[in-house]
Amino acid sequence: MRLPQARLDQVLDRFHEVEARMGSATDGAEIVRLSKEHAELKPVVDAVQGLARARAEMADLEAMTADPEMAAMAEEELRGLTDRLPDLEREVALLLAPRDADENASAVLEVRAGTGGDEAALFAGDLFRMYSRYAASRGWRIELDSATEGDAGGYKEIIATVTGEGVFGRLKFESGVHRVQRVPTTESQGRIHTSAATVAVLPEVEDVEIEIHDKDIRIDTFRASGSGGQHVNTTDSAVRITHLPTGIMVTSSEKSQHVNRDKAMKNLRVRLYDMQRQAKDLARSDSRKSQVGSGDRSERIRTYNYPQGRVSDHRINLTLHSLPQIMEGDIDPLLNALIAEDQAARLADLEAEFG
């Protein structure tokens, strides 16, 4: 892809403008905003300048090939640079391509048992363990928000906040229906059952203002359920907040009612922001929708087949015969393939934009 010089100059001009304004800004909020934009533009500018140097060097080498004494050396270096130039251009193109504004955000991870009864709850537990191990391998922190255990183990529902750099960008394609095919531990006849769990990954964005009016919410307190005996909760500490205009309901059931209210409001903001994201996605034209980025959580996206030891992602027709490793948290082969597919779609959008 031959990137228009005007677009590259536009990036450089904006970067220099931001740097100049940072030097003269006195308002704290403006300084924070400019610093954030500067940090986002810096890798783009570095790549653009690297590409400009390579193009200038190529022009010099081409001129040197006319000199008999320098021609052999120049042609050799020119071949190496010619091979390297497409990679440099692709790097810049990816940085310029439309990208998710929430790419680097932390995320709220929700896993819910679907069809399949106890086996679905067990599978939901397996999925949460898989994501937990993956998060640990990347140095991310997981904080449990709420959990409802299944009767035979696992979870009917579990919600956690995953904090770290680029969490949402790596996990966002996990949203959807995950199907499992295996023999349940309770099955005496050895028959394979199919059950499912639903995963939702929502960006947690700290600096986005979601306005919530007091008149639009109803706050209820109730007694948190416990496991009996000494664990019985004798105070109405759990909090449920209902957002009346949308019907969104969030709960938190820690021991402190104050903590629960704060957690529930945070989760409500996350869900309202996610609703806005989905509305924007639906408003996009079909030509700009990525095959892997539709965000439709009712879509069956992946099957985990235990008898054959394989995992298949249906969106990109990818099958890996490494189910045990994947369930232990080694999901990068899946995520990298999904991200590559999304990058290809974004590059196609950019190419269409440049005509």
Side-chain angles (χ1 to χ4, degrees):
M1 182 187 302
R2 182 72 182 182
L3 299 167
Q5 188 60 44
R7 179 66 188 275
L8 303 182
D9 291 340
Q10 185 182 29
V11 173
L12 295 172
D13 290 344
R14 178 58 185 170
F15 182 72
H16 294 141
E17 180 186 350
V18 169
E19 281 197 322
R21 289 173 61 183
M22 284 176 66
S24 59
T26 56
D27 178 68
E30 184 183 12
I31 292 172
V32 170
R33 182 180 60 78
L34 289 171
S35 297
K36 182 179 179 182
E37 186 176 359
H38 184 275
E40 290 174 349
L41 284 172
K42 185 66 166 65
V44 187
V45 168
D46 288 345
V48 168
Q49 291 175 337
L51 177 61
R53 286 192 297 270
R55 286 178 172 174
E57 185 181 352
M58 179 172 281
D60 291 341
L61 289 170
E62 286 173 345
M64 288 170 62
T65 58
D67 183 341
E69 294 183 3
M70 305 291 291
M73 182 189 71
E75 287 173 359
E76 183 179 350
E77 291 187 16
L78 190 59
R79 280 194 296 271
L81 190 56
T82 302
D83 290 340
R84 200 158 48 88
L85 197 63
D87 290 336
L88 294 174
E89 292 180 334
R90 186 177 188 277
E91 179 187 354
V92 173
L94 277 173
L95 289 167
L96 290 177
R99 63 191 294 270
D100 197 321
D102 302 322
E103 197 82 11
N104 292 322
S106 295
V108 173
L109 170 68
E110 304 179 348
V111 184
R112 294 182 174 85
T115 56
D118 289 342
E119 172 64 9
L122 290 169
F123 179 52
D126 292 340
L127 286 177
F128 184 75
R129 177 177 175 272
M130 177 184 79
Y131 293 127
S132 297
R133 295 209 162 199
Y134 180 68
S137 74
R138 296 191 73 88
W140 297 338
R141 182 168 58 88
I142 288 192
E143 180 184 357
L144 191 64
D145 292 333
S146 66
T148 304
E149 295 182 0
D151 296 333
Y155 298 100
K156 293 179 181 177
E157 174 187 275
I158 184 164
I159 301 172
T161 300
V162 188
T163 306
E165 182 70 18
V167 174
F168 184 70
R170 296 236 23 115
L171 294 183
K172 62 182 178 179
F173 300 126
E174 293 300 288
S175 291
V177 177
H178 296 240
R179 185 179 67 169
V180 63
Q181 296 171 328
R182 64 184 179 188
V183 178
T185 55
T186 55
E187 172 58 59
S188 59
Q189 303 298 318
R191 291 175 296 188
I192 295 173
H193 285 224
T194 299
S195 54
T198 301
V199 173
V201 180
L202 294 68
E204 186 188 46
V205 184
E206 299 292 342
D207 57 352
V208 171
E209 288 295 326
I210 299 293
E211 192 172 10
I212 301 175
H213 300 288
D214 289 342
K215 64 181 178 64
D216 289 338
I217 60 175
R218 184 179 72 241
I219 301 177
D220 301 308
T221 58
F222 58 97
R223 190 162 297 174
S225 60
S227 54
Q230 62 180 337
H231 300 290
V232 171
N233 195 324
T234 57
T235 61
D236 292 339
S237 64
V239 171
R240 178 192 300 117
I241 299 179
T242 305
H243 188 249
L244 301 175
T246 61
I248 294 174
M249 185 184 299
V250 293
T251 61
S252 183
S253 53
E254 301 285 341
K255 292 181 180 178
S256 164
Q257 187 177 122
H258 177 72
V259 170
N260 286 333
R261 183 186 173 105
D262 288 346
K263 274 194 169 186
M265 285 300 291
K266 183 202 78 170
N267 287 337
L268 178 58
R269 286 190 176 89
V270 166
R271 279 152 185 74
L272 289 173
Y273 178 69
D274 184 61
M275 182 176 285
Q276 290 180 7
R277 278 180 54 90
Q278 290 189 61
K280 289 178 183 177
D281 288 343
L282 288 173
R284 291 175 185 165
S285 65
D286 289 340
S287 64
R288 295 187 65 85
K289 280 186 179 176
S290 165
Q291 182 184 9
V292 298
S294 66
D296 183 357
R297 289 174 200 144
S298 65
E299 177 191 5
R300 189 190 76 195
I301 63 169
R302 194 174 294 152
T303 296
Y304 303 73
N305 185 296
Y306 275 70
Q308 297 178 19
R310 62 174 169 82
V311 177
S312 299
D313 195 290
H314 307 296
R315 295 163 293 180
I316 54 176
N317 296 320
L318 174 67
T319 294
L320 300 175
H321 293 273
S322 53
L323 186 144
Q325 296 92 322
I326 287 170
M327 298 310 295
E328 287 297 317
D330 183 15
I331 58 175
D332 270 333
L334 287 165
L335 300 184
N336 290 340
L338 291 162
I339 289 169
E341 184 77 15
D342 180 60
Q343 287 178 344
R346 291 194 291 120
L347 285 174
D349 287 344
L350 190 66
E351 196 164 7
E353 177 187 336
F354 291 155

